[in-house]
Amino acid sequence: MANDELKTATETIRTLEANYHTLLEENADAIVIVNQSGIIRFANAAVAELFGRDAVELHGELFDFPVTVGKKTEITITRNGGETAIAQMRVMETNWQGENAYLVLLRDITEYGRLETALKKSEEGRRRLLKNTNKNISREFMEEELRGTEEKYAILTNILNIGVYRNTVGSEGKFIEMNTALVRMFGYKNKAELLTMSVADLYQNPKDRKAFSERLSRVGLAYEELLLKKKDGTPLVCMVSAVASRDEEGQVIYFDGIIEDITERKRAKEALREISKRETQARAQGRLEVVDTILHNIGNAINNVTIGIDTIQVNLTNNRLTRRLTSLANAVAEHQDDFSDYVKNHPQGQKVAPFIIALADDFARLDEELAKTVHRVWERAEHIADIIRTVKAVSGKPYRKDINLQKAMDNARAVLQDTIEKRDIQVIVDCTCAPEEISIQESPFSQMLVNLVKNSIEAIDDLEARANRSEKPFIKIKCFTEPGILVLEVSDNGIGIQKDKLDVIFRSGYTTKESGSGLGLHSIANFVKGCNGQIAASSDGIGKGATMRIELPLA
């Protein structure tokens, strides 16, 4: 019944928004939405773990860290108990509930820091052990080094969700050691499989291994995103943190590192970007439709103003009454010396008095007609001003007021009165079974009525252009109530609608007229949907007229 395209668009936007919020809530990273004043507008569940506070408590508070779009920074967070956490922060621009904002992604890298510190301590211990090989080594020193080694291997085996490894240098480097998490991450059965293969075999592009090895050997530290793959070829995006271990002569002998699979996190970020992009596009499209509808409505009103002005111009230019008055003046001028005798005794002069009386009556009727036309032009100009006032208030909450239903119908007819009279269309309004007043957004409701009547007028014109009419054109407007709803039916004996077009006529841009915009019925459908109502068209086919039925909930 309702506009399928509008319904689909609305559902799509709602789905996008729901998916957007789900991704924010369920993302493993802490996510904070900050407005341009630095106030936190949203925080997901992961924020509670990172900050040591309930995420809801953060809403409305100032975000205490500098926000720089596109730059990756590290921040130190002090929790309530005094414990500190380190987070990597990335910022991107977004739109949140209609306002420009920043999406802040915070990834807890505290564990990375601890692992790197432990690995460095282990390497320092190994170097001290090598340095003291030829010296007398005390029992206490050996025990200290042993504890350091045990700490290192405890880390390698106890971190279950992060791969930890040691491998040799170069493009053909081999694994020396790894934890079970790394084995599972890459889809292998056991360590033995990985120990026999080249590290480059885990890269999507083996050449990247050579470049990574050279950078790490040169710099000594690396923290990079690498494109790797599982045993079955499934691509992985991994964050790798590694250090180069050197011998006494400074030669790199192996790499120690940790790997985290961030594939799903990357997908979530891409999904967030896509959702944000689509949401922005949907909002932009919505704004364009609003602008088009406003221009369409103003255009209709201006057309009616033009018709009224044309009527005034016709009455004032080459006016028959003016010509008659001029003829009388000429006759009087010819007999100004014997005017009394002329009007009393001359056959033509005896007609002057009745002529003046009749002329005065005609001028009075013309004056009344012009006054009515000027008033209608004023009403249409006021209607345009009302549309503009409504647009200015569109960002606020829709304003509803109690309006007289019969008066609203009469006003809509009055806006198009000149067009109706020119075509000799009979307009019948029946509100006897409807409430006297309804609570509605006045200006959009009035514009809907104007568009409905105008649509019927155009349908009547279309039939006139195609065939000779056998009956007087009419438009019937009927209002009545059904349980909980106000029903408005607008019927005409115009061109009618094809059966297969009854739904598509409400789509934006759809029109059967060469000069049509396809916005009239679309704007009506948008308003009705915005009121949680329904709209449907019915017709027995071309040449059979049509009925528009609108259902609006009664407040």
Side-chain angles (χ1 to χ4, degrees):
M1 288 174 62
N3 185 345
D4 290 341
E5 184 180 3
L6 182 63
K7 181 178 180 181
T8 301
T10 302
E11 290 176 352
T12 299
I13 291 174
R14 287 175 180 168
T15 301
L16 287 172
E17 289 178 346
N19 290 342
Y20 185 69
H21 283 270
T22 299
L23 281 168
L24 292 179
E25 286 289 359
E26 296 184 356
N27 200 290
D29 283 339
I31 296 179
V32 179
I33 302 290
V34 180
N35 69 13
Q36 293 188 324
S37 298
I39 302 301
I40 298 174
R41 299 294 306 281
F42 169 85
N44 70 349
V47 170
E49 183 176 351
L50 181 61
F51 281 77
R53 294 180 58 188
D54 191 308
V56 177
E57 294 179 2
L58 294 171
H59 290 192
E61 292 191 6
L62 184 67
F63 189 67
D64 287 332
F65 303 97
V67 175
T68 306
V69 176
K71 188 177 181 180
K72 183 167 61 177
T73 57
E74 287 187 9
I75 62 173
T76 301
I77 299 166
T78 303
R79 295 167 175 159
N80 283 341
E83 182 184 359
T84 59
I86 302 172
Q88 183 188 83
M89 182 170 73
R90 295 181 182 180
V91 181
M92 65 182 74
E93 294 179 323
T94 187
N95 186 284
W96 184 259
Q97 297 179 348
E99 65 174 341
N100 293 329
Y102 302 105
L103 189 150
V104 182
L105 291 154
L106 298 166
R107 186 152 66 93
D108 189 350
I109 59 172
T110 308
E111 195 61 40
Y112 277 109
R114 291 171 182 167
L115 286 169
E116 288 181 354
T117 299
L119 287 170
K120 287 178 180 178
K121 284 183 178 179
S122 176
E123 176 59 19
E124 290 172 0
R126 186 191 67 81
R127 289 181 180 177
R128 282 192 291 165
L129 186 61
L130 289 172
K131 185 177 181 180
N132 288 281
T133 299
N134 297 321
K135 298 180 180 179
N136 293 325
I137 302 174
S138 68
R139 179 182 179 86
E140 291 77 15
F141 177 80
M142 290 298 295
E143 287 178 350
E144 181 183 350
E145 297 307 318
L146 180 59
R147 282 194 297 271
T149 303
E150 288 174 344
E151 179 184 3
K152 181 186 70 173
Y153 283 103
I155 293 170
L156 288 173
T157 56
N158 291 334
I159 303 300
L160 300 180
N161 61 339
I162 297 176
V164 185
Y165 69 88
R166 171 173 289 176
N167 56 40
T168 55
V169 182
S171 58
E172 300 299 325
K174 301 278 189 178
F175 282 106
I176 300 171
E177 183 58 84
M178 80 283 293
N179 68 345
T180 54
L182 188 142
V183 178
R184 290 195 305 270
M185 185 184 299
F186 288 94
Y188 287 86
K189 293 181 180 179
N190 50 52
K191 293 182 181 181
E193 282 190 275
L194 281 170
L195 290 172
T196 60
M197 61 186 293
S198 171
V199 177
D201 293 335
L202 297 182
Y203 283 71
Q204 293 180 31
N205 182 357
K207 292 181 180 179
D208 290 346
R209 164 62 186 182
K210 179 181 178 182
F212 178 76
S213 179
E214 290 175 352
R215 286 194 302 274
L216 182 54
S217 297
R218 183 173 63 255
V219 178
L221 291 170
Y223 184 62
E224 298 184 20
E225 207 174 89
L226 298 179
L227 301 179
L228 307 177
K229 63 182 179 180
K230 290 186 176 183
K231 180 181 179 180
D232 61 6
T234 302
L236 294 177
V237 181
C238 296
M239 185 60 68
V240 177
S241 179
V243 294
S245 296
R246 303 176 185 272
D247 59 20
E248 285 185 304
E249 297 176 357
Q251 296 296 315
V252 178
I253 52 176
Y254 53 77
F255 300 145
D256 285 330
I258 52 180
I259 301 179
E260 183 182 7
D261 179 4
I262 61 169
T263 307
E264 291 304 319
R265 185 180 301 149
K266 290 286 289 185
R267 287 174 183 165
K269 288 179 181 178
E270 290 301 320
L272 281 171
R273 289 192 186 98
E274 183 63 23
I275 287 171
S276 181
K277 177 182 176 182
R278 290 184 182 180
E279 187 181 49
T280 300
Q281 290 174 340
R283 292 182 188 279
Q285 182 62 34
R287 293 190 189 101
L288 287 176
E289 285 197 7
V290 169
V291 171
D292 286 342
T293 300
I294 291 165
L295 292 176
H296 174 267
N297 292 339
I298 291 177
N300 284 344
I302 290 175
N303 286 338
N304 292 315
V305 169
T306 303
I307 292 171
I309 293 173
D310 287 344
T311 301
I312 295 172
Q313 184 179 19
V314 168
N315 285 325
L316 295 179
T317 305
N318 297 320
N319 187 271
R320 184 175 60 88
L321 294 179
T322 304
R323 291 197 300 272
R324 289 169 62 194
L325 182 60
T326 301
S327 297
L328 175 61
N330 291 335
V332 171
E334 290 177 6
H335 297 279
Q336 57 184 339
D337 295 333
D338 61 341
F339 184 72
S340 296
D341 183 62
Y342 174 72
V343 297
K344 183 177 180 180
N345 299 312
H346 195 280
Q348 288 297 113
Q350 291 173 353
K351 297 178 182 180
V352 169
F355 184 82
I356 292 175
I357 294 171
L359 189 61
D361 290 340
D362 289 342
F363 267 112
R365 282 192 292 270
L366 177 61
D367 184 65
E368 183 180 358
E369 182 180 340
L370 287 174
K372 288 181 179 178
T373 303
V374 169
H375 181 69
R376 285 200 295 268
V377 170
W378 176 84
E379 286 182 329
R380 291 159 194 167
E382 183 65 20
H383 181 60
I384 294 172
D386 195 29
I387 292 172
I388 295 172
R389 283 193 293 268
T390 302
V391 173
K392 288 182 177 179
V394 74
S395 60
K397 183 179 180 181
Y399 176 67
R400 299 169 68 94
K401 63 181 292 187
D402 292 336
I403 65 169
N404 185 284
L405 190 56
Q406 181 68 52
K407 185 178 179 180
M409 299 294 171
D410 293 340
N411 289 342
R413 179 170 56 181
V415 168
L416 299 164
Q417 188 62 36
D418 289 330
T419 304
I420 291 169
E421 290 179 354
K422 182 178 179 180
R423 290 159 174 77
D424 193 26
I425 299 172
Q426 181 183 14
V427 179
I428 304 165
V429 179
D430 180 9
C431 294
T432 55
C433 296
E436 183 178 352
E437 291 189 340
I438 61 171
S439 179
I440 198 81
Q441 298 173 56
E442 183 178 23
S443 181
F445 180 74
S446 298
Q447 188 59 55
M448 179 194 75
L449 295 177
V450 171
N451 283 339
L452 284 169
V453 175
K454 183 174 183 290
N455 183 71
S456 289
I457 293 172
E458 291 174 346
I460 290 170
D461 287 347
D462 284 348
L463 184 59
E464 291 281 0
R466 295 193 188 190
N468 292 326
R469 179 177 295 281
S470 59
E471 59 180 343
K472 183 180 177 65
F474 68 80
I475 299 172
K476 295 179 180 178
I477 305 172
K478 185 177 182 180
C479 292
F480 56 95
T481 58
E482 291 181 357
I485 61 172
L486 173 72
V487 180
L488 171 65
E489 291 182 347
V490 180
S491 304
D492 61 66
N493 58 347
I495 191 64
I497 307 168
Q498 295 179 30
K499 293 285 187 181
D500 60 344
K501 304 296 185 184
L502 291 174
D503 290 328
V504 300
I505 61 173
F506 298 109
R507 293 179 184 174
S508 176
Y510 178 82
T511 181
T512 58
K513 299 182 288 293
E514 290 184 4
S515 59
S517 63
L519 289 171
L521 290 176
H522 181 64
S523 68
I524 293 171
N526 279 346
F527 172 70
V528 172
K529 281 294 181 182
C531 296
N532 296 319
Q534 292 186 330
I535 182 171
S538 60
S539 175
D540 291 331
I542 298 299
K544 304 292 185 179
T547 297
M548 298 292 166
R549 178 184 169 96
I550 292 170
E551 298 177 1
L552 297 172
L554 289 171

